[in-house]
Amino acid sequence: MSKFFTSSIGQKFFMSITGLFLMMFLVVHLTVNSLLLFGDGELFNVAANWMSSNPIMKVIEPILALGFIVHIIYAGYITLKNQMARPTGYKVSNKTKASWASKNMFILGGLVLIFMVIHLANFFWKIKFGTVDTIMVNGEELHDVYGLVAGLFKGWWWYDALYILGAIFLFLHLTHGFWSAFQTIGWDNDKWLGRLKVISYIYAIVIAGGFAFIPLYFLVKYIV
Amino acid sequence: MKIKLNIWKQANPKAKGRFEKYELDGVDPEMSFLEMLDSLNEKLIKEGKDAVAFDHDCHEAICGCCSLYINGRPHGPGEEVATCQVHMRAFKDGETITVEPWRAKGFPVLKDLIVDRNAFDKIMSAGGFVSIDAGQAPDANSILVSKVDADKAFDAAACIGCGACVAACKNSSAMLFVAAKVSQLALLPQGKVEAKRRALNMVAKMDELGFGSCTNTGACEVECPKGIGIDFIAKLNREYLCASFGEAE
Ligand code: SF4
């Protein structure tokens, strides 16, 4: 059992379960974000404030952060070890057919991470520690998160471009990550392999497409 | 046809090694790739030059000896073929063909294109067997095995231990090989008894010998001459996880 944590399969197992956990988080995140598209932002503001203030989320937040940290640290460690498994490379680079995303998960993950840092600075940091305007909703004082989002996406087009780019990286990362997570925990067979790859694409399109749609929506709304 | 060759030459495991250029005329398109190398060597020997060392034995994709990385692909062009099944008609007249040995920490180069694949034997010794004497072939109905399991076990048993999966993998992972060996036995009643110990020990040996981990790129199954699929890797993961979390044997 103790060997499990240091074995190659054990390490991949942690990549897989943290990945699955983060993918569940993406669903919740997108669900809340989709409220941006309805009404004048009141609904979203109520949801966003609830998310940042209720006690359950206070517990989940550090777990989520831990999920990210484990996923990132293991990714770095595994990638390094895997590179060491081939000290001398080939002269002719490999021509074997394999999906581009699957071979570049570390780079894609790194790009998503860079995006995430910017994203956290844009919103999370400001809401948590910074200066967000407050508005009154039903007699309650709430952070105007909607205003913050709308302001960013309406004000600077390059932020829209950046968020769409981030979604593209996320899309590629998820097309491989989703089915790969199931494969690594052994929840796969010859029948499900193809099916899981299809579900992977559907999941990646819905999640990344959803996240990319939001800046597009504000951009169009602003131009029109 | 006439071809140009760019072949890895390395005198011994410690030597530095380099690519050597050769030209070969009068190559018959119906020649196998290994026959072409034989004729190159004949020419080199006649010229008093050093022949190219390469591994081969049965020439019918059973022994798993031939192991060349040809133009960026383990076992060269074609699907589900070992190097011995590649013919010169797969190449164009005048083409430059680059031939390299398998590259992996677990497979050190011995000489030119020959690598030491002893690591696979060590992994097998760690558990790729049934400890009891299974005796003669039993009566067909004395031990019942479902057709599905029998077919699957047979598919896995097709692995010839060539190492192309390691050579194709960007992580030099030996997971497809180990998956085939673990699955083949775990699927059958005679092998199930030691399944846990086998999975744990073979994976531990694989890690110890410096092979990378599986990131599910699927490159291995594309190059496997025996069509072993990565669904067996899922089975290995399952076997390993159950063995790790299950009761001690
Ligand atoms: S799994 Fe396929 S590629 Fe790997 S050693 Fe066996 S036969 Fe060769």
Side-chain angles (χ1 to χ4, degrees), chain A residues 8 82 86 91 96 180 186, chain B residues 100 103 207 213 216 223 238:
Chain A
S8 58
N82 284 347
R86 176 162 295 142
K91 181 182 165 77
T96 304
S180 182
Chain B
E100 301 173 66
R103 294 289 190 194
D207 288 349
S213 59
N216 305 323
E223 300 300 4
R238 203 154 59 232

Side-chain angles (χ1 to χ4, degrees), chain A residues 14-185:
Chain A
F14 285 107
M15 283 303 287
S16 169
I17 50 165
T18 49
L20 287 167
F21 174 61
L22 296 177
M23 286 191 285
M24 286 197 300
F25 158 71
L26 286 178
V27 174
V28 177
H29 190 348
L30 182 63
T31 310
V32 174
N33 281 21
S34 64
L35 298 176
L36 283 162
L37 308 175
F38 302 106
D40 53 2
E42 200 179 298
L43 211 55
F44 176 75
N45 268 337
V46 172
N49 277 273
W50 183 82
M51 288 299 270
S52 63
S53 62
N54 85 82
I56 307 167
M57 288 312 293
K58 288 260 181 307
V59 180
I60 293 179
E61 217 174 71
I63 300 175
L64 185 63
L66 192 72
F68 273 108
I69 292 166
V70 171
H71 197 71
I72 292 163
I73 290 177
Y74 267 103
Y77 179 68
I78 291 171
T79 306
L80 205 70
K81 252 181 78 176
N82 284 347
Q83 271 176 355
M84 275 157 46
R86 176 162 295 142
T88 317
Y90 290 111
K91 181 182 165 77
V92 182
S93 62
N94 193 280
K95 301 273 184 302
T96 304
K97 272 197 210 94
S99 91
W100 184 86
S102 76
K103 291 192 281 185
N104 294 284
M105 285 300 273
F106 186 68
I107 296 169
L108 285 167
L111 291 168
V112 171
L113 178 63
I114 294 170
F115 167 76
M116 229 178 73
V117 171
I118 301 170
H119 174 52
L120 287 177
N122 283 159
F123 298 121
F124 180 80
W125 204 257
K126 282 191 189 148
I127 298 163
K128 203 94 190 156
F129 310 105
T131 46
V132 181
D133 299 338
T134 50
I135 49 163
M136 295 300 284
V137 177
N138 301 335
E140 233 188 304
E141 200 177 341
L142 295 178
H143 284 309
D144 186 16
V145 187
Y146 181 87
L148 184 67
V149 177
L152 190 81
F153 286 149
K154 280 182 187 170
W156 294 281
W157 67 266
W158 63 82
Y159 269 121
D160 300 87
L162 185 77
Y163 273 73
I164 293 166
L165 196 67
I168 293 171
F169 296 146
L170 184 66
F171 166 79
L172 291 168
H173 198 70
L174 292 175
T175 54
H176 182 69
F178 186 92
W179 77 266
S180 182
F182 288 94
Q183 167 87 0
T184 299
I185 55 169

